[in-house]
Amino acid sequence: MDNPALECRDVTVAYGSVMALSGVGIAFEQGKIHAVVGQNGAGKTTFARVAAGLVRPAAGELRINGQQVKTGKVKDARAAGVELVHQSFALPPSFTVAEAMEFGSDRGAAIFTRSALQKRWAPHLKSLDVNVDPKRRVRDLPVETQQGIEIARALVADARVLILDEPTAVLSPSGIEMLFERVRKLRDRGVTVILILHKIREVLAIADTVSVLRGGRLVDGPVACAEIGAKRLAEMIVGPAVARTLAPGDADAATGRGAPAAHTANHHTPADAGLVLDMRGVSTQSDAEGPALRDLSLTIKAGEIVGIAGVEGNGQRTLVRAIADLVDAMHGTLAVGGVDVTAAPLARRRAAGLRIIPFERNTEGLSLSSSLWENWSARELLQSRLLSAINPARLKKRCDEALQAWSVHYATTGQQAGSLSGGNAQKVILAREVDADAKLIIAAQPTRGLDIGATAFVWQSLREARDRGCGVLLISSDLDELFDISDRVVVMLSGEVAGTFSAPYRIGAVGAAMTGVSQ
Amino acid sequence: MTGKFVSVLRGLIFIVIALALCGVIFQFAGYSALGMFHSVAEGAFFRPGAWQQSLRWALPLFITAAGVGISFRAGYFNIGAQGQFYLGAICAAFMAEWLNGAPAFVVIPACFAAGMTGGALWALWPGLLRLQSGTDEVITTLMGNFLAGLLLVYVTAGPLKDPSGSGQQASSRPLAAAYRISDSLGLSPTIIVIAALVAVAMWLLVNRTAFGVLASLAGRNPTMVQWQGATVWRLGLSSFLISGALAGLAGTIEFMGPNGRLAGGFLPTHGFTAILIALVANLSVVGTAFVSVFFGGLASAALYLPIMAGLPSAAIEIINAAIALFITAKSGFVDRLLAIGRRSA
Ligand SMILES: Nc1ncnc2c1ncn2[C@@H]1O[C@H](COP(=O)(O)OP(=O)(O)OP(=O)(O)O)[C@@H](O)[C@H]1O
Ligand SMILES: [Mg+2]
């Protein structure tokens, strides 16, 4: 047999008292697509960072193509052909595509002309099927294309092993298809691709083998995907004990085995329930972050979960910002929890019971360099006066209780939010926004980047909030998720409502509304 | 707790490195580095009466630095402490002039109010420009320093000029003895009490109020607090005003205490040293108190060196500059890099 493309032996990484990886030994075969899965905090990102030389393990060795490589040296790993695309990648927004390519990975020339750069990079982008004009600015591009550029950037050098950390988390279903097509082409060119994924459906659709991490240890792998079923894989990820506690419908939706037609309404909102969201004829201007809302009306009753489906970029973000008073509404009225808040700032809307789990966890949701307790207390502190006295010890204690109730994995409440794994960071936001006084919860992609167990947990929490009489607006690009927990699904297209559906959902009809095809 | 300890330790390490660099420079300049440090330490803390002198410099510096820390925490690089300090002194001087003859218990509080208001107003316009139209506060507050310096020259040579003055530097009429809050040595119970009040108030503000937590969140990520419903401009403008008012307070103290009059270009490095202190202390209030004593010691050593030890007082400027060099490297680039690194979870 060939040398493995990438091999770790006995790799151990500790952050303080947290063992991110303990004694992981794993070898990936050449020229295949390998999936790495595991719960939030299982150590997937840490593994990827070790392989790319960004983290130096306390013990263990790294072999690339059979050759031992010094650990903890990006240059060495790169020279051996390993490239990593980060979980939350960030191209400089004001750069043109060509500039981003040139200066992405410390290979930039000192003196350059725009046109020379464009000439240099156009063929490379084209050869990877990234169809984009190298003159365009990064900020004007859809996220799929940005990711394509990020991958192209990783493949500038003669990469033999490409690691993508949760590449599908930012993508719409069609974007995921495009990515998978791209990954398959790379495999056919002989590149070994390692994908870190959460959704079992995606693993089974793309990968040749799958490896499972749990609590920093390798549970099993690489196992050929052909030999493993979704159910077995789900069990390996969460552990048999947790697997039994998942509600059957959730387990199916979370693992991507849900048959949408089978969804039936299992909850009935009382017909006379009051409206927690009453949006009438709201129009906004379009801005850099999305298209305008055009005469949009939307109501949510107490005890109802309304899902928003739609291809990304059809006004979902503008909708959330309009409800949050972060974009100026030109026409229309808005009431939250029965209170008219058309002219009220966000603070008053929040006082009326509005809660927001925003799209961008790391910028809109958390201050990564602040401590957990400060992040968690922000909402409450803003409800009181600026000079009111606080007792940090008590806030920390209550933060502890709240985070534990959401089973967040963390060391102390004084730790920076940025040191949590992606999924745990999201849970901190949930712990803050889903409280007893909430009347309307806007949940924008609340399970993006969460593992199966955590996803089911979020759904359960949203359902419980609904059963307490809360209204929930769920925005998601995952139709399984929408169909599984929404009482009603509204499709948005170009800033307008393109259709409203209720269970049982017909995926064909919803899909047609999303793309604007009339049936 | 441990995090705080580490950051203090880091600050101290930077100072040690800076001092080592100074030692090399002294040695090359033909002085004995050890002898120089020995004299500096003696001048700052170990000669008789040194502590009194060091505290005289430390207390006003602490007051200004505590204010600088507030605006830095909130994410605004208000480097206009020097100008706000001058405006405080100028406004207090005008108030004293205007009320001249009234009883001290009226004049002194009025001067303090005027000085703090003056400092706050000098921070208000850069704050408004920043929050209304995004004008970079580094530029505006820096310009504000020059304007305030010129204004000081104007008032000491114009409206407040002391006609009997004979020195080369124009200065204002001396403050009547009844209104002075200390003698020219500059340490009095009044000043100590004011500094202590500022310390307690700022510590409470930063550590025990909603404002403290929210301003620090806003300083690190304004978008996040905006999504929480905070009016970011209110947090920001309050920080500007507080830092301006404290610098103005220090200016008032210097005018009504040790100086007793205004002179064109007096204490030209006060505000910048205060910025240095805030940065070395990593913006913590307790840290600022300790670091102020250290820099107060250096200030008093700068007077001691040439007179008692026959050494150039420029040595102190070299020490300050070296510390500034290392501290800005630490709090600017390194922290920003760390913040970027953290984004990849
Ligand atoms: N810089 C750090 N400082 C402290 N702890 C860290 C740091 N980076 C990771 N950890 C911890 O190490 C563990 C593994 O984290 P890692 O990011 O590898 O998880 P993950 O499997 O990628 O999770 P997710 O699916 O949520 O992205 C977690 O418990 C995390 O809190
Ligand atoms: Mg991760």
Side-chain angles (χ1 to χ4, degrees):
Chain A
M1 175 180 145
D2 280 357
N3 282 323
L6 177 78
E7 185 179 6
C8 290
R9 291 189 184 167
D10 264 331
V11 167
T12 298
V13 176
Y15 291 107
S17 61
V18 179
M19 297 296 285
L21 290 176
S22 30
V24 170
I26 188 168
F28 295 105
E29 210 183 313
Q30 304 261 9
K32 292 247 162 87
I33 300 174
H34 304 277
V36 173
V37 297
Q39 284 172 290
N40 296 127
K44 305 178 296 294
T45 298
T46 309
F47 158 74
R49 291 168 67 84
V50 168
L54 286 161
V55 169
R56 201 193 152 143
E61 51 182 73
L62 179 67
R63 285 167 179 272
I64 296 165
N65 224 355
Q67 299 285 324
Q68 185 165 349
V69 174
K70 252 213 214 111
T71 52
K73 294 256 188 269
V74 182
K75 274 218 176 98
D76 290 11
R78 184 170 274 162
V82 178
E83 290 284 344
L84 167 65
V85 175
H86 289 278
Q87 185 162 359
S88 22
F89 55 85
L91 296 167
S94 61
F95 276 29
T96 66
V97 173
E99 285 165 352
M101 291 296 301
E102 178 82 12
F103 301 105
S105 334
D106 17 280
R107 330 173 222 264
I111 297 176
F112 65 93
T113 64
R114 283 239 163 101
S115 59
L117 288 190
Q118 283 153 15
K119 270 210 205 85
R120 173 160 352 147
W121 293 112
H124 178 72
L125 289 165
K126 196 143 192 245
S127 74
L128 290 166
D129 280 330
V130 183
N131 294 317
V132 60
D133 180 350
K135 284 201 279 292
R136 294 195 53 192
R137 296 213 179 262
V138 167
R139 61 165 171 258
D140 301 330
L141 299 172
V143 65
E144 292 85 13
T145 316
Q146 288 189 27
Q147 191 179 49
I149 295 167
E150 189 82 32
I151 293 174
R153 207 156 81 146
L155 293 175
V156 168
D158 187 22
R160 314 178 55 89
V161 180
L162 176 65
I163 309 176
L164 303 176
D165 194 355
E166 295 194 27
T168 57
V170 289
L171 298 181
S172 63
S174 63
I176 294 177
E177 252 332 295
M178 224 161 91
L179 170 76
F180 285 179
E181 213 30 65
R182 201 166 268 156
V183 166
R184 285 192 195 100
K185 279 205 184 121
L186 287 175
R187 172 187 56 189
D188 297 343
R189 284 171 39 168
V191 179
T192 308
V193 185
I194 300 177
L195 294 170
I196 295 176
L197 296 170
H198 273 300
K199 295 221 167 80
I200 289 175
R201 174 187 29 174
E202 293 171 1
V203 172
L204 297 180
I206 178 84
D208 299 312
T209 80
V210 57
S211 313
V212 182
L213 290 171
R214 195 194 311 146
R217 294 178 186 279
L218 183 70
V219 178
D220 203 355
V223 191
C225 281
E227 288 166 20
I228 198 165
K231 185 142 179 278
R232 172 92 192 85
L233 189 50
E235 259 177 39
M236 278 163 62
I237 294 172
V238 295
V242 182
R244 275 193 295 276
T245 66
L246 293 184
D250 285 351
D252 288 347
T255 57
R257 286 180 299 142
H263 289 288
T264 49
N266 49 7
H267 170 84
H268 291 285
T269 312
D272 58 346
L275 293 180
V276 289
L277 176 71
D278 189 2
M279 222 178 156
R280 284 170 201 241
V282 170
S283 301
T284 66
Q285 232 140 19
S286 65
D287 60 16
E289 289 181 63
L293 300 183
R294 283 186 291 176
D295 193 25
L296 190 119
S297 296
L298 184 67
T299 58
I300 300 177
K301 286 187 203 142
E304 188 182 32
I305 299 181
V306 174
I308 298 278
V311 177
E312 271 211 36
N314 274 285
Q316 296 96 322
R317 282 168 193 260
T318 320
L319 171 65
V320 174
R321 285 185 303 124
I323 297 176
D325 189 40
L326 294 175
V327 63
D328 288 331
M330 299 188 304
H331 303 286
T333 61
L334 180 70
V336 171
V339 183
D340 179 70
V341 293
T342 309
L346 177 53
R348 292 236 325 269
R349 297 179 184 199
R350 277 187 172 269
L354 175 65
R355 300 289 182 270
I356 306 168
I357 300 157
F359 278 99
E360 300 296 335
R361 176 191 309 153
N362 293 345
T363 53
E364 298 164 353
L366 294 173
S367 165
L368 295 186
S369 54
S370 305
S371 65
L372 291 179
W373 74 269
E374 288 175 306
N375 272 293
W376 178 81
S377 335
R379 183 182 61 75
E380 242 179 53
L381 295 182
L382 275 162
Q383 296 295 309
S384 52
R385 306 186 33 172
L386 271 186
L387 286 183
S388 54
I390 59 164
N391 179 345
R394 249 193 53 223
L395 283 176
K396 283 178 196 167
K397 189 158 157 282
R398 289 185 38 227
C399 174
D400 252 328
E401 287 163 11
L403 296 188
Q404 269 157 27
W406 284 82
S407 45
V408 179
H409 290 285
Y410 65 103
T412 75
T413 51
Q415 150 184 24
Q416 291 190 336
S419 66
L420 294 184
S421 80
N424 281 308
Q426 180 74 334
K427 285 195 205 167
V428 175
I429 300 179
L430 283 154
R432 180 180 68 209
E433 303 291 332
V434 182
D435 69 319
D437 298 330
K439 289 206 178 103
L440 170 65
I441 300 171
I442 313 286
Q445 302 280 22
T447 61
R448 169 178 279 180
L450 292 197
D451 63 52
I452 311 175
T455 299
F457 185 68
V458 169
W459 292 345
Q460 200 48 43
S461 308
L462 292 180
R463 283 200 193 101
E464 277 166 24
R466 167 188 65 192
D467 295 343
R468 282 199 306 269
C470 228
V472 178
L473 182 68
L474 172 69
I475 298 149
S476 175
S477 53
D478 183 339
L479 288 179
D480 284 338
E481 171 171 71
L482 287 174
F483 294 163
D484 187 49
I485 72 165
S486 307
D487 301 310
R488 189 148 62 86
V489 169
V490 172
V491 174
M492 275 186 79
L493 182 65
S494 309
E496 286 178 281
V497 171
T500 302
F501 301 84
S502 47
Y505 300 104
R506 288 193 306 120
I507 193 159
V510 175
M514 281 168 66
T515 49
V517 181
S518 54
Q519 288 208 314
Chain B
M1 223 50 231
T2 50
K4 229 176 221 171
F5 178 71
V6 168
S7 69
V8 169
L9 202 68
R10 268 176 56 191
L12 284 179
I13 290 173
F14 277 103
I15 289 189
V16 170
I17 299 175
L19 288 180
L21 177 73
C22 292
V24 172
I25 295 174
F26 295 154
Q27 206 78 40
F28 269 105
Y31 296 93
S32 145
L34 282 181
M36 184 73 87
F37 284 132
H38 182 253
S39 301
V40 170
E42 204 169 60
F45 302 113
F46 298 112
R47 78 194 143 101
W51 274 95
Q52 203 194 3
Q53 267 306 295
S54 299
L55 281 182
R56 172 259 175 272
W57 294 107
L59 294 181
L61 280 174
F62 164 74
I63 293 172
T64 303
V68 169
I70 299 282
S71 71
F72 279 23
R73 263 175 182 271
Y76 298 102
F77 284 89
N78 167 18
I79 56 168
Q82 182 65 29
Q84 292 142 20
F85 168 80
Y86 277 165
L87 258 288
I90 292 172
C91 290
F94 269 106
M95 184 59 87
E97 178 80 9
W98 187 50
L99 292 179
N100 201 3
F105 70 85
V106 176
V107 177
I108 293 176
C111 287
F112 274 106
M116 291 178 74
T117 312
L121 288 179
W122 207 243
L124 177 68
W125 62 266
L128 282 177
L129 279 174
R130 165 63 203 259
L131 294 156
Q132 287 294 316
S133 39
T135 316
D136 193 334
E137 76 278 9
V138 174
I139 310 261
T140 50
T141 52
L142 188 64
M143 288 192 328
N145 288 340
F146 292 116
L147 290 177
L150 293 172
L151 189 65
L152 181 66
V153 170
Y154 165 72
V155 297
T156 51
L160 294 178
K161 184 173 162 61
D162 180 4
S164 67
S166 56
Q168 289 194 322
Q169 187 71 275
S171 65
S172 71
R173 280 177 286 277
L175 187 67
Y179 304 146
R180 292 280 291 269
I181 57 171
S182 81
D183 58 17
S184 57
L185 282 179
L187 199 64
S188 73
T190 317
I191 296 179
I192 294 174
V193 167
I194 293 174
L197 285 179
V198 168
V200 172
M202 288 304 115
W203 187 86
L204 286 175
L205 184 71
V206 166
N207 297 298
R208 288 290 183 275
T209 65
F211 174 87
V213 173
L214 293 172
S216 133
L217 280 169
R220 290 163 190 269
N221 184 353
T223 315
M224 178 256 173
V225 287
Q226 209 178 4
W227 277 86
Q228 288 300 307
T231 20
V232 175
W233 68 261
R234 238 177 87 194
L235 290 171
L237 205 60
S238 331
S239 323
F240 269 104
L241 290 178
I242 292 172
S243 67
L246 288 184
L249 174 60
T252 311
I253 291 176
E254 287 287 0
F255 164 67
M256 302 185 73
N259 287 279
R261 57 163 72 196
L262 289 185
F266 84 126
L267 301 180
T269 58
H270 174 93
F272 301 101
T273 310
I275 291 173
L276 207 51
I277 292 172
L279 289 175
V280 173
N282 215 353
L283 312 185
S284 108
V285 179
V286 177
T288 303
F290 283 106
V291 178
S292 299
V293 173
F294 176 79
F295 278 87
L298 288 184
S300 94
L303 296 175
Y304 166 84
L305 282 185
I307 300 170
M308 306 301 288
L311 292 166
S313 67
I316 301 300
E317 282 167 37
I318 293 177
I319 293 179
N320 275 339
I323 293 174
L325 197 66
F326 281 96
I327 284 301
T328 43
K330 169 202 138 195
S331 60
F333 307 111
V334 178
D335 284 0
R336 247 168 248 171
L337 279 181
L338 286 177
I340 292 168
R342 271 182 217 113
R343 239 172 264 157
S344 44

